[in-house]
Amino acid sequence: MEDKKAFKAGNGLLRRNLIDKVRQIFFRLRNFFMSCIMLSMKFAIDTFACDGGKSGFGSYLLNLTAKLPRLEGAEYMLFGPPLDRYTYSNDIPFADVRCGESMNAMRFWHNFYAPGFYKRKKVSAVLYPAAARLLPSSFEVPGAAVLHDSLSALLAKAKFAHRMTLRGFERVQKIIVPTNFIKNDLLRLGFDGKKIQVVRHGIDHNRFYQRPLEDEALTNLRPFAIKRPYMIYPSSVSGEGKKHIELIKAFEIFKKRTGAPHRLVLAGAEKAWTEQVRAAALASSVSSDIFITGFFPSEGFPILLSGADACVFPSTQEGVGIPVVEAMASGVPVAAAAAGALPEICAGKAALFDSDNLEEMACAMEKVLFDQKARQNMISEGLLWSKKFDWEICAKETVEILKGLSL
């Protein structure tokens, strides 16, 4: 009996040793194959339709490429119009693509010539940062489309090109979105939640931070000299949903009610809605206190923002609303619309209002300026919250998605 027990115990030990050795061999083989895969990874990043770095798409790409993590055995490649070669990171190889400057020419190249281009360049996965503007309708090489805004709002324009874009989003392997607001919009459209991943955008904390206010009454930024105190709305004048006209009317109520010396600075590129907004400003009884800058140079914008007493953001069509976070990082309290992605982005650190309720908007201005307890809480909590928006984290999570597509 004892011999039998000893024999069984010996067999058990041999089995365990054998299993351990098999496991070790398995993990060594797995690590070997993973290292082989990593050695052959090439991630291509599309710079088409990013406006040479001068739009929201371009700003996203500039910041992302500056923070891409180094991966042993893997490499990055940018591709796009020749003029983009020196716009983005000089450390990343750039492949010129000459296909014409029109959107139709770019779409034609992406749908018919891009597959061969990816094959020649041995690309493992492709990132499309301006997917809402330009996305192929099929994907021989796995792709990740970055969607910065509500797809429903885009499709509502009902142009043929946008319908083609929808086909691309339906077929692309991954969709990267910066907010749950955009993710939920995609889910309502019937997209599979497994292909949607939320990756929060970052802000440049080297540019947007709390600055000590100078004693001077002017924020002097050539070619502008803006008299303080002022509130700021940093957004392009691009449509009715931006609510510039409602803001001007609410500002008039605020001025009449409080007699406060504050001015209203509208800082953003002048686009489709400019004529109507300028007319509303001129017609206002407080027109002398409304300052429209047009496009504001990016070098001076952080100083302009940090010089404001408050940031008022009434837009109802934001898929992200990053200027709100930049204001928080600058130590500027925020009043924002309770619409779109803004409640999510503000996360309880701002005074929210209904943009169609002018009285409510005017009251929110009063709160962020004159309710000292609420103001100080918004400033301190906003500073902490803004630290969660980090481009290094964004870049790392984006690359992990591309790695997953390549395996």
Side-chain angles (χ1 to χ4, degrees):
M1 285 293 290
E2 287 180 6
D3 289 343
K4 210 177 258 187
K5 284 181 182 178
F7 179 75
K8 282 183 179 180
N11 274 350
L13 183 62
L14 282 172
R15 262 199 309 273
R16 284 195 295 274
N17 287 339
L18 182 61
I19 289 169
D20 286 340
K21 286 190 176 182
V22 168
R23 279 178 179 163
Q24 288 173 14
I25 293 168
F26 168 77
F27 285 119
R28 283 175 186 169
L29 285 171
R30 188 193 69 170
N31 291 338
F32 171 75
F33 285 120
M34 288 292 288
S35 65
C36 289
I37 291 170
M38 283 295 292
L39 286 170
S40 63
M41 278 186 180
K42 180 184 275 190
F43 304 134
I45 303 172
D46 190 351
T47 73
F48 277 104
C50 289
D51 305 310
K54 295 178 181 177
S55 66
F57 296 118
S59 176
Y60 167 84
L61 188 53
L62 279 167
N63 285 292
L64 186 80
T65 53
K67 298 294 183 180
L68 287 172
R70 294 184 182 277
L71 294 175
E72 187 178 348
E75 58 182 311
Y76 304 104
M77 177 190 79
L78 296 168
F79 68 94
L83 287 175
D84 282 351
R85 173 174 287 274
Y86 303 107
T87 301
Y88 305 102
S89 174
N90 290 329
D91 297 330
I92 303 174
F94 189 93
D96 292 343
V97 176
R98 300 174 189 274
C99 66
E101 297 180 3
S102 72
M103 286 301 297
N104 285 337
M106 295 180 200
R107 289 189 183 102
F108 187 85
W109 184 87
H110 278 75
N111 281 297
F112 297 100
Y113 288 96
F117 171 82
Y118 299 149
K119 187 175 181 181
R120 290 193 302 276
K121 297 292 184 180
K122 298 180 180 178
V123 171
S124 308
V126 186
L127 182 71
Y128 298 95
R133 284 186 180 174
L134 194 57
L135 188 65
S137 55
S138 62
F139 300 88
E140 292 181 25
V141 172
V146 185
L147 181 60
H148 305 270
D149 216 332
S150 159
L151 188 58
S152 293
L154 179 71
L155 296 174
K157 297 176 184 177
K159 292 181 180 177
F160 174 73
H162 293 149
R163 295 294 166 187
M164 293 292 289
T165 299
L166 175 60
R167 184 181 299 175
F169 279 109
E170 288 171 342
R171 295 178 177 178
V172 74
Q173 285 77 12
K174 281 285 183 182
I175 303 175
I176 299 172
V177 298
T179 60
N180 283 300
F181 170 77
I182 301 175
K183 178 179 180 178
N184 292 334
D185 177 64
L186 289 170
L187 293 175
R188 283 192 294 272
L189 290 171
F191 282 83
D192 182 357
K194 292 178 182 177
K195 72 185 287 182
I196 307 166
Q197 193 149 342
V198 178
V199 177
R200 189 180 284 152
H201 285 180
I203 66 168
D204 188 344
H205 291 276
N206 292 322
R207 298 178 66 230
F208 296 98
Y209 56 89
Q210 191 173 26
R211 291 171 166 83
L213 284 178
E214 304 285 341
D215 290 333
E216 288 90 355
L218 292 179
T219 298
N220 197 2
L221 294 164
R222 295 180 182 178
F224 304 101
I226 301 171
K227 193 172 182 180
R228 296 210 307 257
Y230 60 85
M231 293 180 280
I232 189 170
Y233 179 26
S235 186
S236 62
V237 189
S238 56
E240 189 175 1
K242 290 286 187 176
K243 300 293 181 179
H244 283 85
I245 294 174
E246 287 79 4
L247 175 59
I248 289 168
K249 291 177 180 177
F251 178 65
E252 188 172 351
I253 294 171
F254 162 82
K255 291 284 284 184
K256 287 178 178 177
R257 180 186 296 159
T258 65
H262 291 77
R263 289 160 184 80
L264 176 63
V265 176
L266 306 178
E270 296 183 309
K271 296 183 179 180
W273 206 240
T274 300
E275 190 177 329
Q276 293 90 328
V277 171
R278 284 194 173 275
L282 285 170
S284 173
S285 63
V286 292
S287 60
S288 60
D289 286 330
I290 300 172
F291 195 93
I292 302 175
T293 70
F295 174 77
F296 202 92
S298 62
E299 309 81 51
F301 177 67
I303 298 172
L304 177 70
L305 186 59
S306 63
D309 278 8
C311 172
V312 186
F313 212 91
S315 174
T316 57
Q317 58 184 40
E318 299 302 307
V320 189
I322 283 296
V324 164
V325 183
E326 292 170 341
M328 290 180 180
S330 303
V332 177
V334 172
L342 291 178
E344 177 185 346
I345 287 293
C346 292
K349 319 301 190 241
L352 300 183
F353 56 79
D354 177 354
S355 293
D356 292 321
N357 187 327
L358 304 184
E359 285 285 344
E360 194 174 311
M361 199 189 310
C363 286
M365 293 180 199
E366 289 184 51
K367 182 176 182 178
V368 296
L369 290 172
F370 305 133
D371 184 336
Q372 289 305 313
K373 184 178 179 181
R375 177 181 172 82
Q376 290 307 315
N377 282 341
M378 282 187 268
I379 291 172
S380 58
E381 290 179 8
L383 286 167
L384 289 172
W385 172 245
S386 67
K387 291 177 182 177
K388 296 181 182 292
F389 294 78
D390 188 299
W391 281 114
E392 283 191 13
I393 296 172
C394 176
K396 182 180 178 182
E397 291 180 359
T398 301
V399 170
E400 285 299 315
I401 291 170
L402 294 175
K403 280 171 62 177
L405 292 175
S406 304
L407 298 178

